[in-house]
Amino acid sequence: MEVDNVKKQIYEFIKTLIISVIIAFFITRIISPVVIYGESMVPTFYHGERYFVNKLAYVNKSPERNDIVVFTCDKYGNKYLIKRVIAVAGDVVAIKNNELYVNNKKLNEPYINGPMITPDIDEIVLKDDEIFVMGDNRNNSSDSRHFGVIMKDDIVGKLILKNTK
């Protein structure tokens, strides 16, 4: 009887270990938790909120305008940054008189936190795999206006948004 009990315990331990390894693999390779730090995405996201990043979102496709992406930037070391995609490869971005233009069209941006006050930026034509990102709190965001375009390879994944219903 005691040998059967030991076998059951060993079996349960191995089963728990295998399940734990699978879950750990899933969390580290496919999705990853992220915490919002700072105010650069207010009013869309607030400091301290928790979300997940879909690390496979851009394996076979490129980011699209308005996607919320998590990426790394050499200027900030290993820190993850979270910003909105404003323009993608082939787009032309410019800022004139505190207004954002993509492909010579002024963007309607109901998600931003108040009017943007920023220096003008001459037209930037995005090359293949380049993305222009900005925070929704334009007056309190370090983004492509400061560190330039980011490369698709620097993107960790797409933020998985909360269900707002």
Side-chain angles (χ1 to χ4, degrees):
M1 274 300 205
E2 198 167 303
V3 171
D4 288 338
N5 193 23
V6 170
K7 284 182 181 179
K8 279 184 182 179
Q9 287 179 349
I10 291 172
Y11 171 75
E12 288 300 319
F13 174 77
I14 291 172
K15 186 169 87 173
T16 301
L17 184 64
I18 290 171
I19 291 171
S20 299
V21 168
I22 291 170
I23 290 171
F25 176 81
F26 180 75
I27 288 174
T28 60
R29 300 289 185 217
I30 299 171
I31 63 166
S32 181
V34 65
V35 178
I36 306 292
Y37 288 105
E39 306 296 324
S40 73
M41 287 300 289
V42 168
T44 308
F45 306 109
Y46 292 90
H47 179 79
E49 290 183 327
R50 298 173 187 278
Y51 293 89
F52 287 98
V53 177
N54 176 355
K55 291 183 172 183
L56 298 180
Y58 302 121
V59 170
N60 292 319
K61 71 176 211 158
S62 293
E64 298 174 0
R65 279 186 224 110
N66 286 322
D67 283 356
I68 307 295
V69 295
V70 177
F71 61 97
T72 59
C73 175
D74 290 340
K75 183 176 180 179
Y76 296 99
N78 291 330
K79 278 176 61 176
Y80 285 167
L81 300 176
I82 300 171
K83 306 291 178 198
R84 182 178 301 273
V85 175
I86 299 300
V88 295
D91 286 342
V92 179
V93 180
I95 297 176
K96 299 173 192 165
N97 299 318
N98 298 314
E99 301 290 345
L100 177 62
Y101 293 85
V102 175
N103 300 325
N104 296 314
K105 294 181 185 171
K106 181 180 161 191
L107 288 190
N108 176 24
E109 300 181 287
Y111 45 78
I112 68 171
N113 190 27
M116 174 175 61
I117 300 169
T118 190
D120 287 355
I121 294 179
D122 291 333
E123 290 185 346
I124 299 170
V125 179
L126 298 174
K127 300 174 188 146
D128 286 345
D129 293 329
E130 289 184 338
I131 296 135
F132 192 93
V133 296
M134 294 176 80
D136 290 354
N137 189 358
R138 298 290 161 77
N139 298 323
N140 189 20
S141 175
S142 182
D143 49 41
S144 287
R145 293 172 292 169
H146 306 97
F147 52 71
V149 297
I150 62 166
M151 301 302 295
K152 182 182 174 192
D153 289 345
D154 294 329
I155 296 176
V156 175
K158 182 176 180 179
L159 202 67
I160 299 171
L161 305 178
K162 291 181 183 176
N163 187 351
T164 56
K165 293 182 181 181

